[in-house]
Amino acid sequence: MMRLPLRPAFPSAILVLLLASAIPAQAEEAPRPAPSAQPSAPPSLGADTLKPGKPAVKPYLADAALPDAVQILPPPPGHDAPLDKADRAAFANTRALKGSPRWEIAANDVAEGAAAVLENFACVLGTRIDQARVPAVINLLERARLDLAHATRGPKVHYRRLRPFVGNEAPICVQRTEKLADSFSYPSGHATQGWAYALILAALVPEKATPILVRGRAYGESRVVCGVHWLSDVVAGRLTGTSVFAALMGDPTFRADLEKARAELRAAMTGAGTPPDQAICSRETEALREPPLDF
């Protein structure tokens, strides 16, 4: 795989926050992968994504306890500012990855939600997790997903930043649709969800924290490789995900559910689960061995 010259400097204050956080609902309006590559509508906060037509579980956090991402995040880079130029360079350079194993991973990472992310993390967990065997884990992640969606909605609407493929014909890893083009880019909801989920999984399985967080980082970076988010959207998503995770850890119901999920996930990992496809895991390891995108 080619190495990409993507090393723009990101403000040191945000870098410090991101480093300090590494112990990662409707996540965003991007499409779910399907054989047709057609994007689906974002999940409604009033609908259960696992049982369509039934009321959704409630988010953990009340509005007053939810971090205000509009106040926490810096504004997205202004036109022609250094970070804006870095964003545009990253988008242009990653178009060369089309057809590569890293591009395939990015396309697979379009999937969101608890069951999909558990599948994407199968290689680092060492087993494919059957969602029917881990209802407490699914409940934990799906409830947290509602909080993550709520947190990203404010800055998305406030800044109304356009996605990088708008106004050009550069390749992206999903089908271009008007709905996707009309959705907003800052922060990345996928990066927010993926990083928050990685933080939760690292708390559940601390001995695997490093590979889990590496995969969580790559899940967010897949949005840049895919061509549907700017670099700075992904950084903002990590900061948003970290902020929500910190608030969730202060919620007693979340902590109780976390403990239930811990025992359940460990049992699923040590039982007679289905091992992930080693060819897929080898290809994933090789593709992610390249230096991470620098911010």
Side-chain angles (χ1 to χ4, degrees), residues 2 17 23 58 64 88 131 165 183 189 203 240 245 254 286-287:
M2 63 181 295
L17 284 171
I23 334 200
K58 294 181 179 179
R88 295 178 187 282
Q131 65 170 319
F165 64 84
S183 64
T240 305
F245 176 73
F254 175 82
E286 184 64 28

Side-chain angles (χ1 to χ4, degrees), residues 18-75:
L18 292 173
L19 291 175
S21 69
I23 334 200
Q26 161 191 351
E28 63 180 78
E29 300 86 342
R32 296 172 182 269
S36 65
Q38 289 285 351
S40 62
S44 167
L45 292 182
D48 189 331
T49 57
L50 297 178
K51 301 185 180 78
K54 293 187 177 181
V57 294
K58 294 181 179 179
Y60 285 106
L61 302 174
D63 288 350
L66 187 75
D68 185 348
V70 174
Q71 295 190 51
I72 295 169
L73 297 177

Side-chain angles (χ1 to χ4, degrees), residues 4-24:
L4 302 176
L6 304 178
R7 300 190 176 274
F10 198 77
S12 59
I14 292 181
L15 181 59
V16 170
L17 284 171
L18 292 173
L19 291 175
S21 69
I23 334 200

Side-chain angles (χ1 to χ4, degrees), residues 114 118 134-142 201 204 261-262 264-265:
L118 283 176
V134 289
V137 175
I138 296 294
N139 175 71
L140 179 78
L141 296 178
E142 286 296 339
L201 291 174
L204 294 175
R262 189 194 313 279
E264 187 179 78
L265 183 59

Side-chain angles (χ1 to χ4, degrees), residues 213-290:
L213 291 168
V214 168
R215 187 64 181 89
R217 181 212 76 216
Y219 181 87
E221 290 172 355
S222 286
R223 306 305 287 164
V224 181
V225 175
C226 201
V228 293
H229 274 294
W230 305 104
L231 275 168
S232 52
D233 297 339
V234 172
V235 174
R238 288 183 189 168
L239 185 55
T240 305
T242 298
S243 302
V244 174
F245 176 73
L248 287 169
M249 288 300 291
D251 181 79
T253 303
F254 175 82
R255 291 198 306 272
D257 285 352
L258 190 73
E259 291 306 313
K260 294 177 186 176
R262 189 194 313 279
E264 187 179 78
L265 183 59
R266 285 191 176 280
M269 290 174 61
T270 57
T274 303
D277 187 313
Q278 290 307 305
I280 293 175
C281 292
S282 296
R283 186 167 65 247
E284 178 180 295
T285 299
E286 184 64 28
L288 299 181
R289 186 172 288 139
E290 292 295 313

